[in-house]
Amino acid sequence: MKEPTEEQIINLGDNEKEPTSNNLTSTNEPVGPTPEELETLPRIADKIPYTIFMVVIAEAAERFTFRSITGPLQNYVQNPLHDDRLPGALGKGQATATAIGYFFQCWCFLMPIVGAVIADCYLGRVKTILLGSITATIGTLILFLTSLPVSLENGAGWPGLLVALIIIGLGAGGIKSNVGPLVADQYTGKKPVVKITADNRRVILDPDVTVQTIYSRYYWLINIGSCAGLIAPWVERKVGFWATFLIPLCIYGCATVVLIFCRNKYIIRPPQGSIAIRAAHALWIGFKKNRTMDHAKPSYLRQQGERIDLPWDDQFVDEIKVALMACRVISLFPIFWLCYGNTVGNLISLAGLMNTMGLPNDFLAGSINPLSILILLPLFERVIYPSLRRINIPFRPISRITFGFVIMSGAIAVAAGLQSLAYNSPPYSVNFLSILPIYVLTALSEITAFLSSMEYAYTKAPRSMKSLVASVNLLLCALGSLLGLAISPTSKKPQILVQFACLSGIMFLAAILVYVLFSKYNKVDEKMNQIEREADSDREG
């Protein structure tokens, strides 16, 4: 499809109603700002609905389980059962362990496509999340049972691991593509409005800032679940893998119970039937007619004298155009996730070559990253972003994604340097705390790049396709994992050093490409977001 020009994007929302007043109405309800106020008044987030906390518990449990598995997984697969120095179970070696880690990550981020279609077309988000939670609980139960010492001694560990990972990934697919959109659905604001605060300041309650804040708090909350990395390495080392996997089994069970009891408290948007089929049909017509989506509009087809009864209107085509643009923007994220996968697998093996000071070699991998997010995210939300807005630097999504890509490039460059240092130093002489900055940088790149991609996918997607577009964002993670799986044979000495160095350079080039190709969309970001909100208002009206 031809990429829409900046002027075309600006004109997509010409039917929106302009705000007309800068005063409160006679009922003291806030109203829309004037163009002058849009330029001068500070923008803040609206009130955040409390129901987001009850939604997030499902993905917090999924994150807890994911971290409880991926952290110990490298040792579980790589090292033999009775290793004197490091915990282990299956003894398959580093390359196989890294490949299994990439496979699990790929599977968990591929299945959201299935979960999105089920939610958008059939069950709705709440029921799909609940089904996913039950499925993942069953998979975690299998993993726990086959990691018991008696199971490992009788050869059940390897097949049990594979079956469990597949079932857990299926469950994750129902959760991951739907929790984020369901969280954002709890906020129903459509337009910026002027409000007078308690200290008598005039401010704008901005839906874009509100959605950004919602996703920030959502990501902060699920990273509490990611702090499983603080527990899992110790349990793995002191008790055994079976105990490590028992904890997420209990967490998933509790989350499922909470979801069942709270299912009627959420703002629920019903499934829209064959919306994906209609979108595919519109895309096919646009592709056939000079690869231009405007030619799929009913108004254009009527002008051409075609008598076709189409199940969509012109606005639906405009929404698809913006959604396609969002997909282009996030299209380079497989490289980001390829680099991220290295911080989960190969850095754990690198730590095994260092002096761990008696700590588990996978301790930093499972703890520093989520802890850094828990510390840095409130700093960005409450200090950095508001400060930038006050000096008229809004730091739009494209700029944040570019910044995050650069940070990830730097993190992998540091990994290359440490890998070289470990190879050229006496065995176990390099302190493994030197890896800590890599996980802090990775957390910073997640906060700016990945979180912005989630926000972008939600705000640019039609309401009835939000889970599907969100799952496309997650699908890119699966593609990154497939790339990691393809290069996993190089995850050994000395090729791993070259792998780190090349990935750092490629990630930096990706950052340049994102900014060069897509920075123009920063100028029309608010206009594009308003298209979907106006469409919602029209349908509800």
Side-chain angles (χ1 to χ4, degrees):
M1 293 291 177
K2 293 179 180 177
E3 184 173 338
T5 65
E6 182 178 319
E7 290 76 19
Q8 287 174 322
I9 293 173
I10 292 175
N11 292 330
L12 288 177
D14 281 347
N15 62 331
E16 69 179 88
K17 303 176 180 64
E18 293 291 339
T20 57
S21 174
N22 63 342
N23 299 314
L24 297 181
T25 65
S26 58
T27 58
N28 291 325
E29 289 294 325
V31 296
T34 64
E36 180 182 356
E37 287 173 329
L38 284 172
E39 295 293 329
T40 59
L41 292 183
R43 300 178 182 230
I44 64 172
D46 204 345
K47 184 178 179 181
I48 307 298
Y50 77 94
T51 46
I52 70 170
F53 301 101
M54 296 185 294
V55 178
V56 168
I57 188 170
E59 190 155 358
E62 187 274 332
R63 287 290 85 192
F64 189 96
T65 300
F66 187 83
R67 290 286 186 176
S68 294
I69 294 174
T70 55
L73 188 62
Q74 191 78 8
N75 284 338
Y76 187 73
V77 178
Q78 176 176 338
N79 305 321
L81 183 58
H82 299 295
D83 190 293
D84 292 333
R85 184 171 179 270
L86 296 172
L90 303 179
K92 300 291 184 179
Q94 180 177 346
T96 300
T98 301
I100 289 295
Y102 274 122
F103 163 77
F104 182 54
Q105 184 169 308
C106 172
W107 183 248
C108 285
F109 286 92
L110 184 64
M111 285 300 99
I113 288 287
V114 178
V117 172
I118 293 173
D120 282 341
C121 298
Y122 302 106
L123 297 182
R125 290 182 187 128
V126 173
K127 291 181 180 178
T128 305
I129 291 170
L130 183 57
L131 179 62
S133 183
I134 294 171
T135 302
T137 302
I138 294 171
T140 311
L141 175 62
I142 294 172
L143 181 61
F144 160 68
L145 293 175
T146 56
S147 65
L148 291 168
V150 63
S151 300
L152 295 175
E153 294 289 354
N154 286 278
W158 179 243
L161 173 68
L162 297 180
V163 171
L165 294 184
I166 290 172
I167 296 176
I168 292 170
L170 286 171
I175 296 171
K176 296 185 73 65
S177 59
N178 293 299
V179 169
L182 183 60
V183 163
D185 282 348
Q186 306 310 298
Y187 174 65
T188 58
K190 294 287 190 292
K191 296 180 179 180
V193 295
V194 176
K195 181 182 179 181
I196 299 178
T197 63
D199 57 355
N200 207 32
R201 289 189 307 127
R202 293 175 64 82
V203 297
I204 295 175
L205 300 181
D206 191 325
D208 293 335
V209 175
T210 305
V211 171
Q212 180 183 343
T213 302
I214 286 173
Y215 270 101
S216 294
R217 296 185 183 180
Y218 153 71
Y219 205 63
W220 189 88
L221 288 169
I222 67 174
N223 270 278
I224 294 177
S226 295
C227 285
L230 289 169
I231 303 171
W234 293 102
V235 178
E236 161 199 343
R237 189 181 184 94
K238 301 297 184 181
V239 183
F241 289 101
W242 65 269
T244 303
F245 301 143
L246 175 62
I247 298 173
L249 173 61
C250 297
I251 295 292
Y252 249 137
C254 293
T256 302
V257 171
V258 173
L259 286 171
I260 291 173
F261 279 101
C262 296
R263 67 189 184 278
N264 295 322
K265 297 182 181 294
Y266 308 130
I267 294 175
I268 299 175
R269 302 186 187 274
Q272 300 294 308
S274 58
I275 185 70
I277 297 174
R278 295 203 300 272
H281 188 192
L283 287 168
W284 176 243
I285 291 178
F287 181 81
K288 287 194 304 180
K289 295 183 177 298
N290 200 30
R291 299 174 63 221
T292 302
M293 283 303 301
D294 283 335
H295 292 177
K297 290 183 175 181
S299 61
Y300 173 84
L301 295 173
R302 284 193 296 270
Q303 290 174 4
Q304 301 302 309
E306 298 189 27
R307 303 294 182 183
I308 302 177
D309 186 18
L310 296 174
W312 62 78
D313 55 16
D314 288 1
Q315 180 119 35
F316 181 73
V317 176
D318 286 339
E319 292 173 355
I320 292 177
K321 288 169 66 176
V322 175
L324 286 173
M325 182 278 303
C327 291
R328 293 189 190 99
V329 168
I330 62 178
S331 60
L332 291 174
F333 265 84
I335 302 171
F336 177 90
W337 289 116
L338 173 60
C339 294
Y340 183 87
N342 269 277
T343 68
V344 175
N346 286 322
L347 280 190
I348 294 174
S349 298
L350 173 59
L353 301 176
M354 298 179 170
N355 177 13
T356 62
M357 303 183 298
L359 298 172
N361 67 312
D362 53 358
F363 176 72
L364 294 181
S367 59
I368 299 303
N369 176 274
L371 283 177
S372 298
I373 290 174
L374 293 178
I375 294 170
L376 291 173
L377 200 48
L379 179 65
F380 271 78
E381 179 190 330
R382 297 183 178 276
V383 179
I384 296 177
Y385 289 150
S387 298
L388 290 173
R389 285 195 291 268
R390 278 196 294 270
I391 58 176
N392 293 321
I393 302 177
F395 206 27
R396 301 284 184 195
I398 303 300
S399 301
R400 299 201 302 267
I401 290 172
T402 302
F403 179 78
F405 277 20
V406 172
I407 295 298
M408 179 61 82
S409 173
I412 301 301
V414 174
L418 290 177
Q419 188 76 55
S420 177
L421 180 63
Y423 282 161
N424 293 291
S425 302
Y428 311 123
S429 62
V430 180
N431 193 312
F432 91 137
L433 291 179
S434 58
I435 295 177
L436 190 148
I438 299 175
Y439 291 111
V440 176
L441 291 173
T442 302
L444 182 57
S445 69
E446 284 186 71
I447 289 171
T448 51
F450 177 53
L451 199 50
S452 297
S453 74
M454 293 174 65
E455 173 194 336
Y456 215 73
Y458 179 85
T459 56
K460 305 302 182 291
R463 186 180 75 179
S464 53
M465 296 176 63
K466 289 190 181 298
S467 290
L468 186 60
V469 176
S471 70
V472 170
N473 190 25
L474 298 172
L475 176 63
L476 299 177
C477 177
L479 294 178
S481 298
L482 285 175
L483 292 175
L485 193 61
I487 67 172
S488 60
T490 66
S491 296
K492 56 186 177 182
K493 184 178 181 178
Q495 294 99 318
I496 184 64
L497 178 58
V498 179
Q499 182 189 133
F500 278 139
C502 290
L503 287 179
S504 176
I506 293 171
M507 187 76 257
F508 187 76
L509 289 176
I512 295 175
L513 280 175
V514 166
Y515 194 78
V516 170
L517 295 177
F518 304 122
S519 60
K520 59 187 177 183
Y521 295 137
N522 277 336
K523 301 176 183 178
V524 292
D525 187 63
E526 289 186 47
K527 191 77 169 180
M528 290 187 291
N529 292 345
Q530 194 62 27
I531 293 170
E532 191 272 334
R533 295 192 186 105
E534 290 292 338
D536 270 1
S537 297
D538 292 344
R539 293 186 187 108
E540 291 168 1

